[in-house]
Amino acid sequence: MRIGDGLAVVSTREIHMPGARGPQRVTPKAMAVLCLLADNPGKVVSRSALLAEVWPGTLPTDDVLTQAVTQLRKAFGAGMGDAAEGKRYIETIAKNGYRLTATVEWLADGESGGKEPGDSPASSAEPAPAPVAASDAPRPRVTRRVFVAGVTVLALAVVSGTFMLMRAARAPAAAVPDPAHGVGAPARPYRLITSAPGFELSPTLSPDASMVAYAATVRGRRGTVILVQTTSSAQPRQLSEPPAADVSDSLPAWSPDGREIAFARTERNGRCRVMIVAANGGGDEREVARCDHNDLLSFDWTPDGNGLLFGTMAGSDPSPGIRVLELATGRWRELDYDVGEDDFDYAPRYSPDGKWIAFVRNPQLGDLWRMPAAGGKPEPLTRLGTEIRGWSWLPDSRSILFGRRVDSQARLYRLDVARGRVDDLGLDDAQSPAVSAPTGMLAFVHRRPQFGIYRVDPLGSPDAPVTRMRLFESSGRDTQPTISPDGRQLVFTSDRSGRFELWHADLSRPRSLRPLEGVRPETRQAPVWSADSRKLLVAGWDERERASIYEVVPETGRATRLPIPLERPLQAVYLPDPTQLLIGAETGNGDMRLILYDRSRTPWRALQVVEGVSQARFDPVRRRVLFTRLSGDGLWQADLELRPESVRQVDATMPARWRYRTWAVTGDGGIDYLHRSPDCRARLSRIDSGAPATYCLDPEKLGSTNGFSVDARTGAVYVALATEDGTDIGFMALPESPVKFLLGIARWLNSFEKSTS
C-alpha cells in the first residue's frame, strides 16, 4: 500500500519511509490494524471494531491497541527526525477510535507506486504517480493462484485467529461511499426495544422470543415493577402489582412453557418473597417461597417447569449450595455436589439439553462453573476472576454468553465450553444477556452511564443539608476517587480520553489534571496512597494481560511493577513498616486471601495469611487492619501482624458482601459505608461508632460501587456519582458462530474469484 509518502508491504510487515535508514518492521497485529484503517481512509474506525477484528478469540484491552497504533506512528515518523510526526498519519478520535488521514493506494505485489522502498520523492527515476483515494483505486485482477493462496491463508487463520489481517492483505481497499449520497452510518446489529427514561433491568424472553419481561422503574413509585411487551418495540403493560410504592418486584424468569413468570418481591421492612404470576396477567400472584432481602437472590425454572432452581441462600432459610424447590409440594431438594463452606453459588441454570447446570461461584471474583444436572463434582469453565454481569446458555448447550465488566464498561462474551475459548461479541455497554434457546434470539441490558467526581463537604448532623461540588467536568466515566493523606492530591480512574486510565491532579491547581502513563488500572480495587502522599499502590494489568501491582510516583509519573510472587494479585496496602506490604490475591479456585509480605528480601517472604478476604484497609489511627470477607456481610479487624487470635468482627451487617468496596476509613479511625436505601440512592452510614449516623449524599444519583475516599484532615468525602444514567433493553439475533462466519467468508471468496477471473 502506498500510504502518504510511505510504502507498507503487508507480506513482510515493513513500512518504508523517505529519509529513513531502513524499513521499519511492525508486529502482525499492528499491520492488521493498519489494513483495517486503510480500508476506511479518512473514516473513523472504532476501538471496539479494531479490537474485535484484530484480536478475535481473546479478551483484549485498550492497551494492546494503543501499543499497535504507537508502533505504526513510530514507523511512519521514521526519517522525519521525530517519531511524533507519525501522529499526522493516524489521528486519535477521543472516546471513539482512530482515523487514517493519509491517502491510500493499493498496489499489486512487487509494485512500489513509482518509487523504490525508502526512496525520497526527489530520488525516484520516474515521477511517482499521484496518490489516489481508496475509492478511486484500481481493483487489481485476482488470479486463481492468488485465490488459492487466499483460501490457504484463510484455513490457517482458523487456527491463528488472524484471518482479518489476511483478508485485508489480499483484497483492495473497500470503496467508501460519499456521505453526500445519503448513506448513513452502518446499522448496529441490535435495536433497542425500550425507550422510557429510567431503568429497565433483568430481561427474560418467552420461549418463542415474541415477548420480553423485565423489571423497570416507573413514575410515581420508588420500587420497580415487572413489565411485559412484545419484542417489536410496542408499549409495555404492567404485569406485577406491588402492594405499596416502595415495594420492588424484580428478577423475572419466564417458564419453559411460556405460561408463567416467576419474580422476587422485596419490601422495605426486609420481607422478601418469590412469586409466580400468569404471563398474560390473567390470574392472581401466588407466593411460592420466602427469602431474605440481604441475599443476592437467584433462581431459574427447571426444564420440566415443575420447580425453581435456586442459588445459595444465606438468610432466614439458608442453604450452602444449589437446591430445587418443587412447586407442587413446596419441598426443597438439595443437590449433592462439592461446595465449600465459604462458597457462594449464584445464578444456576440448566443447559437447554438438560444435562448440565452452570453457575457463577463467588460473584465477587466472578467465574463460571459447571456440574452434571443431577449433581457431582463441579469444574471451572473460566479463570477470569472478574465481575460477571449476567449470563445465559446458548442453544447448543456447548456455549455460554456472559456479560463482563471491562475497564469502565460491560461487554458480552461467548464462551466455548469444550475449548475454553472466549470471544468478544463487539457490543459496547451490554450486560445481563437472556437467550431464547428455541429461536436463537438475544435480549440484553444496554447501559451507558456517566459518572462525575464530587466533593461532599464535611458532614454535620444527619438532617443538615449536604453541600456537593463536582470536580473536573467531563462526558466520560470518572470513578474510584482517592484523596491523598495530606488532602492535596486526588487520583481517579476514567475513560474521559477514550481509553481507561489513572488520572492525577493537584487540587490547588485544577489545570494540573493529567493521566498517569504506564499502568492500566483495575476497576475492582481503588489505588492506595502511602502515608507521606508521595506514592501509590495501583492494581492493574501489564502488557501481557497479567494481573500486577504497580508502585506509582505521581510527581514524576514513574510506574514500577512490583515483584510479587503471586499469579493473581488484586490489591496492595502500605503498612507503617516500609519493608512490609499487605497483598490481596486470588487463589485460583474461586477464593481469595490476604497475605502479609516481608519485601526486604527477594523473593518476598509470606509472614501470615488470612483466608477468604475480599478487601482490606489500614487504619493508621487505631493501628489495625480492617477487612471484608467473601463468605458473608460485615467487617472484621486484625492487628498489623494478622495474628489469628487478633481477628474479630467489628460489625455483623455492614458492609454487605456484595458492596465490599464501598467503605473507607476516616481521619478519626471511623468507617464510612456507601450504600443505597429506598429513599436515597447514595447514602453514607457510619460503622463502628458510638453514635451511628446516616447521611443522604444524593437522593437521585447512584453512587459508584468501586470505591470512594474521605479526607483525613477535613472529613470531606470524595465520591463518584452518576450524572447521566439509565438502561434500555436491546434485542437481536445471536451472532453467527465463528465456523459459520468462516464458511460465509469462503463463499464470498468463491464468488469473488468467479467475478474477477
Side-chain angles (χ1 to χ4, degrees), residues 251-262:
L251 305 178
W254 217 300
S255 66
D257 61 8
R259 296 181 179 179
E260 295 180 308
I261 292 175

Side-chain angles (χ1 to χ4, degrees), residues 526-585:
V528 175
W529 283 97
S530 61
D532 60 8
S533 300
R534 293 182 178 179
K535 296 179 293 184
L536 287 163
L537 291 173
V538 182
W541 305 92
D542 68 8
E543 65 281 357
R544 295 172 58 186
E545 293 299 307
R546 296 176 300 183
S548 305
I549 301 295
Y550 294 86
E551 192 163 49
V552 179
V553 181
E555 183 179 358
T556 63
R558 179 172 57 88
T560 304
R561 185 172 183 264
L562 297 182
I564 299 173
L566 295 167
E567 286 190 12
R568 306 179 76 172
L570 282 183
Q571 187 192 16
V573 179
Y574 287 111
L575 291 174
D577 184 344
T579 67
Q580 295 183 349
L581 279 185
L582 286 175
I583 303 294

Side-chain angles (χ1 to χ4, degrees), residues 413-548:
Y413 294 84
R414 183 203 303 262
L415 166 68
D416 183 319
V417 172
R419 295 187 295 166
R421 172 183 169 129
V422 176
D423 291 300
D424 188 339
L425 294 190
L427 297 178
D428 295 337
D429 299 295
Q431 57 187 299
S432 303
V435 175
S436 165
T439 65
M441 300 302 290
L442 163 68
F444 62 91
V445 171
H446 181 270
R447 184 190 182 200
R448 189 174 180 81
Q450 293 180 10
F451 281 85
I453 304 298
Y454 288 80
R455 187 188 71 217
V456 182
D457 287 343
L459 304 172
S461 66
D463 298 329
V466 172
T467 303
R468 295 179 299 272
M469 184 178 76
R470 185 175 180 183
L471 310 175
F472 316 119
E473 293 285 341
S474 83
S475 58
R477 285 172 259 204
D478 301 345
T479 58
Q480 297 177 299
T482 308
I483 188 70
S484 60
D486 62 11
R488 297 176 180 177
Q489 304 172 76
L490 186 76
V491 293
F492 60 92
T493 56
S494 177
D495 63 358
R496 57 174 51 213
S497 67
R499 57 182 295 196
F500 191 66
E501 297 173 302
L502 184 67
W503 288 72
H504 170 266
D506 181 336
L507 293 181
S508 66
R509 297 183 296 111
R511 291 180 180 272
S512 65
L513 180 66
R514 75 187 196 283
L516 296 175
E517 303 290 342
V519 57
R520 174 172 161 254
E522 160 70 58
T523 61
R524 289 175 297 171
Q525 304 287 347
V528 175
W529 283 97
S530 61
D532 60 8
S533 300
R534 293 182 178 179
K535 296 179 293 184
L536 287 163
L537 291 173
V538 182
W541 305 92
D542 68 8
E543 65 281 357
R544 295 172 58 186
E545 293 299 307
R546 296 176 300 183
S548 305

Side-chain angles (χ1 to χ4, degrees), residues 110-196:
E111 274 192 89
S112 63
K115 304 178 188 178
E116 290 302 315
D119 281 352
S120 66
S123 66
S124 186
E126 296 180 3
V132 295
S135 57
D136 299 323
R139 188 183 185 94
R141 184 176 180 270
V142 180
T143 64
R144 179 171 296 276
R145 191 177 77 172
V146 173
F147 168 73
V148 171
V151 172
T152 302
V153 168
L154 183 63
L156 292 173
V158 176
V159 178
S160 67
T162 59
F163 65 86
M164 198 60 215
L165 167 61
M166 303 306 170
R167 181 190 71 80
R170 295 293 179 186
V176 180
D178 189 335
H181 295 165
V183 178
R188 59 191 177 194
Y190 62 90
R191 55 191 173 87
L192 298 177
I193 57 176
T194 62
S195 57

